């Protein structure tokens, strides 16, 4: 009985089979070439997400640590946390629970770094406390009312760099601070150290008022209302934290002199 023929009669596959198998191999390689980059991208995304979660967890831990330190020095029931990255102000109780949350705007310098000197259009970062409370709803004979009324009567001009959000030729005008003004204790000791180090390096520009002197460290940073609602949730101020007027009035019930204010980048 004859032996069955081998594949192709000479140990090779028939041409049609070879072509089909070559096609399968090419498709396999093609799929691998497509899948490998996709898998690499997927791995990179997973890694990035993991790093973001770790970073976020670390940031939350840092904020909680700062709030605990602040509450240890302040007997009041609430603290304020401003997250610049989220454009959000939160009221935090002593259990570190959020009891209220509001949208805010802050310094319009696009680098979003912490305030270093007067006129840099940045909002500070660090732990502060409320040092002054001004209110348009206080008694008309009180300093709180008279001072804020006078501040709100001041006209701010676009030519001096004070303009409506997105409209650089339109004066910011009057009633800039709205119905409440909560001054905070900027600069703190850490701000002063950073400023002194920058001054020593020659990194502080000349003062706009006196070109023979370096710009000062800045002052007057506050959480307050506004007359330019579109600027809330945006980089829109000269350095203060701006709130909608109805929100800043509501915030008043959580604030007293000495209330801690923790401002973070994220």
């Amino acid at each position: 009985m004859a032996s069955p023929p081998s594949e192709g009669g000479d140990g090779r596959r028939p041409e049609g089979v070879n072509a089909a198998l070559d096609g399968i191999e090419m498709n396999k390689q093609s799929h691998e070439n497509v899948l490998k980059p996709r898998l690499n991208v997927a791995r990179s995304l997973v890694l990035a997400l993991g790093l973001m979660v770790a970073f976020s967890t670390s940031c939350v831990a840092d904020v909680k640590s700062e709030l605990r330190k602040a509450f240890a020095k302040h007997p009041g029931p609430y603290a304020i946390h401003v997250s610049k990255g989220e454009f959000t102000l939160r009221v935090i109780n002593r259990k570190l629970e959020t009891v209220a949350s509001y949208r805010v705007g802050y310094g319009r310098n696009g680098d979003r770094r912490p305030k270093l000197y007067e006129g840099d259009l940045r909002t500070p970062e660090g732990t502060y406390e409320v040092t002054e409370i001004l209110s348009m709803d206080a008694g008309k004979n009180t300093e709180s009312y008279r001072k804020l009324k006078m501040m709100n009567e001041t006209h701010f001009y676009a030519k001096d760099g004070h303009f409506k959000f997105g409209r650089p030729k339109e004066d910011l005008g009057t009633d800039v601070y709205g119905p409440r003004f909560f001054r905070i204790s900027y600069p703190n000791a850490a701000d002063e150290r950073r400023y002194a180090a920058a001054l020593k390096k020659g990194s502080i520009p000349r003062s706009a008022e006196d070109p023979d002197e370096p710009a000062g460290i800045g002052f007057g940073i506050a959480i307050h209302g506004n007359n330019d609602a579109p600027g809330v949730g945006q980089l829109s101020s000269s350095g203060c934290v701006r709130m909608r007027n109805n929100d800043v009035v509501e915030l008043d019930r959580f604030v007293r002199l000495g209330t801690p204010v923790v401002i973070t980048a994220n």
Side-chain angles (χ1 to χ4, degrees), residues 27-90:
N27 285 337
K28 179 182 175 183
Q29 291 175 356
S30 176
H31 282 302
E32 287 177 349
N33 290 337
V34 171
L35 286 173
K36 282 180 181 177
R38 289 181 180 176
L39 287 172
N40 289 336
V41 170
R43 290 190 188 102
S44 298
L45 288 172
V46 169
L47 177 60
L49 181 60
L51 291 172
M52 287 172 63
V53 170
F55 179 70
S56 177
T57 301
S58 173
C59 289
V60 170
D62 290 344
V63 170
K64 287 185 175 181
S65 176
E66 288 302 312
L67 287 168
R68 287 190 185 98
K69 291 177 186 177
F71 274 128
K73 298 176 182 178
H74 176 65
Y78 302 110
I80 291 170
H81 172 223
V82 176
S83 168
K84 291 166 66 175
E86 296 177 307
F87 291 89
T88 299
L89 180 152
R90 295 181 177 89

Side-chain angles (χ1 to χ4, degrees), residues 134-156 174-181:
L134 304 179
S135 172
M136 291 302 293
D137 292 320
K140 289 185 171 47
N141 292 324
T142 65
E143 182 181 1
S144 174
Y145 172 83
R146 291 199 305 268
K147 187 172 182 179
L148 185 54
K149 182 175 183 292
M150 181 179 67
M151 289 164 58
N152 274 329
E153 288 173 348
T154 302
H155 190 102
F156 286 81
T174 58
D175 296 313
V176 166
Y177 302 106
R180 297 289 187 279
F181 182 94

Side-chain angles (χ1 to χ4, degrees), residues 26 42 86 104 114 133 135 198 205 238 248 259:
M26 289 177 64
E86 296 177 307
V104 299
I133 299 173
S135 172
S238 297
V248 79
T259 293

